Amino acid sequence: MSLLGVAVVVVGAIGCLNLLLTFGVVRRLREHTTLLAEGQGGGYPRARPDAGAVIDAFEATTTTGEPVSPAALKPDTLVGFFSSTCEPCAKLLPEFVKTAAGLPGGRDQVLAIVAGDAVAAAPLVEALSPVARLVAADDARTVGAAFGVEAFPSLFVVGPDARTAASAGDLTALRRQAPSGMFR
């Protein structure tokens, strides 16, 4: 009978330990959920560089044959990075096109970079062509690396001295950071 009593105590102790560990895991998951919801990422890499980041040197050609480099980007140029396989890019596209169309410098003040297969990217290219200079195909990777893009969509406003003046994943956040008067 004493052997059975010891077994019951051991099983009970293991059950209590399991319950404590479960509560700890649930608490930690709640903390991570809060961090992710607040955009802090809990140590994950940032999707795009902060405003003020240097735009590395690059040379690319637009779909119409114009050369593009950091020196060719005027201050207050709106730059958007899109991917043909990105659902948030497709949702952002109409608002980006409308915003780009309303910029005072016209299409010379907007640069759109479309990554992905040419056939899959065709709808993006068609929608962006009237309002932006476009970079696609292999040049899209080059420009993305120069800006430090790690996620799509990524939006930037070019500042002076080949630096970014603002960076965000959506236009609302970009408008808050952008130089005053750029977006009307």
Side-chain angles (χ1 to χ4, degrees):
M1 195 68 167
S2 72
L3 187 59
L4 184 58
V6 170
V8 168
V9 169
V10 169
V11 168
I14 291 172
C16 288
L17 180 62
N18 187 26
L19 185 62
L20 286 173
L21 290 173
T22 301
F23 282 136
V25 168
V26 168
R27 187 174 133 243
R28 190 72 175 148
L29 285 172
R30 285 184 181 161
E31 289 173 7
H32 278 268
T33 301
T34 302
L35 287 173
L36 289 171
E38 293 172 354
Q40 296 175 10
Y44 295 104
R46 294 188 52 82
R48 66 200 55 79
D50 290 326
V54 174
I55 302 167
D56 292 338
F58 70 88
E59 289 184 14
T61 305
T62 66
T63 55
T64 58
E66 300 171 65
V68 180
S69 67
L73 298 176
K74 301 174 197 167
D76 293 343
T77 296
L78 174 63
V79 181
F81 289 85
F82 299 89
S83 172
S84 60
T85 59
C86 165
E87 187 175 322
C89 294
K91 290 180 182 177
L92 174 66
L93 186 64
E95 184 183 3
F96 183 87
V97 168
K98 182 179 176 185
T99 300
L103 291 177
R107 100 186 268 283
D108 288 338
Q109 192 176 350
V110 183
L111 179 66
I113 295 84
V114 179
D117 175 60
V119 174
L124 289 170
V125 170
E126 184 179 333
L128 290 164
S129 290
V131 297
R133 294 173 292 153
L134 282 167
V135 174
D138 291 335
D139 282 345
R141 285 189 206 104
T142 304
V143 179
F147 275 81
V149 171
E150 295 178 11
F152 294 102
S154 286
L155 305 174
F156 298 90
V157 173
V158 175
D161 302 327
R163 293 183 178 271
T164 59
S167 69
D170 64 80
L171 282 165
T172 302
L174 191 72
R175 282 186 181 103
R176 280 190 295 245
Q177 297 176 31
S180 62
M182 181 179 169
F183 298 106
R184 297 174 191 191

